[in-house]
Amino acid sequence: MVGAFQGAGVVVTGAGGGIGAALARRFAAEGARVVVNDLDSGRAKGVADEIDGIALPGDASAIVDDARDALGGTVDVYCANAGVAFEGGTAGGPLDETAWAASWDVNVMAHVRAAHALLPAWLERGSGRFVSTVSAAGLLTMIGAAPYAVTKHGALAFAEWLSLTYRHRGVKVHAICPQGVRTDMLAATGSAGDLVLQPTAIEPEAVADALLQGIEEDRFLILPHPEVAAYHQARAGDPDRWLSGMNRIQQQWEEAR
C-alpha cells in the first residue's frame, strides 16, 4: 500500500510510544501528514520529529479542532488509540471509582467526543475513516482488570455503532483487537499479563501492518492475532463453556499469585 495515504491528514492519539507510535510511523511511510498526540509532550515531539509530523500534546478527548487546524482544515483518518488499563474489580478491597471513571473517559468517551467533532465534516463530504484501538479484551475479556475489560467492550460497541450507522454515507470504521503487544501497557499488567498475554505477544509494528492490510481489504474487525476469531466464535457459540474455561485461567492466576 505504498503511498495509499499520500497527502492524507491523519491523527493518532496516544502516539508517544507503543501501538500509537507504530501507527504514526506507518501512516507517515504511506505519505500521510500525521498529527502525533500524547499526554507526554516530549514523547509526542520525539515521534513527530522522527516522521516529520506535527506534535500535538494534550488530552486526546479535546484535540480534534487543533488537529484539523494543524492539518490545514481536514482530518481524513482519526486513530483513537490512547488508552488506560487498571487492575482490579469490584470485590476484595475498596472500589476504585477513580480507575473506573478514568477508564470510561479515556477508553470510551474520548472516542465518542472525537467522533462527535469529526462526523459533521465527514458526512458533508461523504468520506472519513475512524480507527479504534480496542484490544481483544473488547471481544473476549481480561482477567484481573474489570475496568479495562468492560470499557474495551464499550469501545468496540461504539465502533460497531458508528460503522452500521454511517457506512452508507462514506464513513469507514475499523476496530483493532490485538491480544498482547510488547508495550509499556503490557509490562504494567503484571502477573495476569504474564499468564495470558506475554506468551503470544507481538511487536507494535505487527499491529500497524495488520491495520493497513485490513484497510486494504475494507474490513471492520482487525485481528493481529488471528486465533482471536476462534476464541470469539467459541464465546458466542457456547458462553457457559467459554466462561468455565476462562474461570480455569482465573484459578491458575490465583494459584500463581
Side-chain angles (χ1 to χ4, degrees):
M1 289 187 71
V2 176
F5 290 92
Q6 186 69 43
V10 177
V11 180
V12 186
T13 68
I19 294 173
L23 294 177
R25 293 184 184 109
R26 183 58 189 272
F27 276 111
E30 296 290 332
R33 298 168 297 122
V34 182
V35 167
V36 179
N37 163 257
D38 201 272
L39 278 175
D40 187 320
S41 59
R43 296 182 74 176
K45 185 177 186 304
V47 175
D49 288 349
E50 176 190 337
I51 64 173
D52 196 23
I54 303 162
L56 184 58
D59 185 345
S61 290
I63 65 160
V64 170
D65 289 343
D66 288 342
R68 187 185 286 119
D69 290 343
L71 292 169
T74 302
V75 174
D76 298 294
V77 182
Y78 188 93
C79 298
N81 171 77
V84 294
F86 294 95
E87 296 182 13
T90 59
L95 178 62
D96 189 349
E97 295 204 15
T98 301
W100 278 97
S103 298
W104 278 113
D105 194 63
V106 178
N107 295 346
V108 181
M109 290 308 301
H111 299 202
V112 174
R113 295 181 189 113
H116 181 74
L118 292 161
L119 279 167
W122 284 358
L123 294 175
E124 182 178 356
R125 78 183 194 204
S127 66
R129 194 177 299 272
F130 193 95
V131 178
S132 177
T133 301
V134 175
S135 162
L139 284 169
L140 306 170
T141 192
M142 179 59 194
I143 64 171
Y148 184 76
V150 172
T151 55
K152 287 300 185 178
H153 274 72
L156 178 63
F158 182 65
E160 288 175 337
W161 186 89
L162 281 179
S163 182
L164 69 89
T165 303
Y166 297 114
R167 61 170 49 204
H168 66 292
R169 299 181 65 181
V171 176
K172 303 287 188 179
V173 183
H174 309 278
I176 314 173
C177 297
Q179 292 193 111
V181 182
R182 296 187 183 98
T183 65
D184 292 344
M185 184 177 288
L186 176 59
T189 59
S191 58
D194 290 342
L195 176 64
V196 178
L197 302 175
Q198 285 283 7
T200 59
I202 59 176
E203 297 298 330
E205 290 74 20
V207 179
D209 290 343
L211 172 62
L212 269 290
Q213 182 178 346
I215 289 174
E216 186 173 18
E217 296 170 358
D218 197 24
R219 285 187 284 111
F220 167 77
L221 194 60
I222 311 297
L223 301 178
H225 293 80
E227 62 268 28
V228 169
Y231 302 155
H232 183 44
Q233 290 173 352
R235 175 179 178 268
D238 193 340
D240 286 301
R241 182 178 181 181
W242 180 81
L243 285 168
S244 293
M246 291 302 299
N247 180 251
R248 286 193 292 273
I249 296 174
Q250 172 74 21
Q251 292 179 59
Q252 291 174 18
W253 177 53
E254 290 176 6
E255 292 169 2
R257 295 170 72 195

